[in-house]
Amino acid sequence: MKVKLFVLTVILTAVVLFFTTIPGTDSLKEVFRLTDEPGEVIVRGMAGSALTINISFGEEEVEQLVRDLQTPYPVLFLDMDWAERFPEIVALIKKRNIPVGLLGHAGEAYEQDIPLLMEQISKFESHFGTHPLWFRTADEQFPLSLRTALWDVEINALGSSVKWIDGEPPPVIEGEIISLPHHREERVSLASLKKLNETRKYTSLENVLFKMSIKTKRIPE
């Protein structure tokens, strides 16, 4: 009986370690599919606030942003063209163990060009040595062909419930996923980010989604 109990304990310990020690995130770490079918895009959880930042432009500002981030870290959605131009910042992101997602082009770019997605996934894997768990288009538009492709490769389509860049911070919504831009045309300043951070207490994206359940947005075919 004691031997059986010991074996069961070892197995359970191994399972727990497997799901809590994969580098790059801070809770469940495996490739997983959160939606029931490819017609859905995750836009909100049920509790807490999660911050995400889309990065496709910048060097010094982005490096300072990465150095200033505190836990619980936001998810940084990275454009792969940007990542290839600034490998030293990518290395810093990896060193600090900040969670990352794949930032794509505008949604319409994938309507006739799914190979573009596969190329971006391949670049992400070469930079981070792992399959991306999250994908977001630059405009948060997800055509059916893209959603189907993401479903097939087990990557979650993640939108947001709040998009913000400047001005008065939005009111807190339980389960919110906040999206901030850092592009050539528009980008949040460090001062604005600090202003937003003072209005809410963040938790990880996984905690926001797994606390109770998630909300998805049905997109017509």
Side-chain angles (χ1 to χ4, degrees):
M1 185 68 180
K2 290 184 178 179
V3 173
K4 289 184 178 180
L5 181 60
F6 175 75
V7 172
L8 180 59
T9 301
V10 170
I11 293 173
L12 289 176
T13 302
V15 170
V16 170
L17 288 174
F18 178 77
F19 282 108
T20 56
T21 58
I22 299 174
T25 56
D26 52 12
S27 57
L28 251 177
K29 310 292 199 307
E30 267 298 276
V31 173
F32 52 89
R33 181 186 288 150
L34 296 182
T35 57
D36 294 327
E37 52 185 287
E40 297 173 332
V41 175
I42 299 167
V43 295
R44 186 179 163 193
M46 288 296 291
S49 301
L51 182 64
T52 66
I53 305 175
N54 304 330
I55 299 175
S56 67
F57 176 81
E59 182 177 6
E60 292 181 0
E61 284 184 353
V62 175
E63 182 176 353
Q64 189 61 52
L65 169 67
V66 171
R67 292 189 183 279
D68 288 348
L69 289 177
Q70 301 295 321
T71 57
Y73 293 133
V75 177
L76 303 182
F77 279 86
L78 305 181
D79 175 90
M80 288 299 99
D81 291 335
W82 174 89
E84 292 190 330
R85 290 195 300 272
F86 302 106
E88 67 284 355
I89 303 180
V90 171
L92 178 61
I93 291 170
K94 292 164 63 177
K95 180 179 180 180
R96 299 205 65 197
N97 206 30
I98 298 172
V100 293
L102 175 56
L103 180 65
H105 297 172
E108 64 180 4
Y110 302 94
E111 289 181 336
Q112 303 296 328
D113 192 6
I114 292 304
L116 171 62
L117 172 65
M118 300 308 168
E119 178 185 345
Q120 292 170 335
I121 292 173
S122 178
K123 289 181 179 180
F124 184 98
E125 292 173 340
S126 69
H127 283 296
F128 295 98
T130 186
H131 197 67
L133 299 182
W134 314 103
F135 178 85
R136 173 182 286 164
T137 57
D139 56 1
E140 296 194 21
Q141 299 299 310
F142 297 84
L144 178 60
S145 57
L146 174 59
R147 283 176 277 134
T148 300
L150 291 171
W151 173 266
D152 289 340
V153 295
E154 295 188 300
I155 298 175
N156 296 291
L158 189 76
S160 65
S161 39
V162 179
K163 298 178 185 178
W164 187 81
I165 184 170
D166 202 357
E168 284 302 311
V172 177
I173 302 172
E174 279 298 311
E176 65 186 357
I177 300 172
I178 304 172
S179 172
L180 305 181
H182 205 285
H183 309 307
R184 180 184 295 274
E185 302 80 10
E186 58 173 4
R187 51 189 182 273
V188 66
S189 67
L190 295 177
S192 293
L193 177 57
K194 181 180 179 181
K195 186 177 180 181
L196 177 68
N197 292 347
E198 291 171 348
T199 65
R200 62 245 301 139
K201 183 176 181 180
Y202 297 114
T203 186
S204 69
L205 177 60
E206 288 88 352
N207 283 344
V208 166
L209 297 179
F210 297 148
K211 196 78 171 183
M212 291 176 62
S213 62
I214 60 174
K215 293 187 178 181
T216 60
K217 178 172 63 176
R218 162 74 53 181
I219 300 178
E221 299 184 6

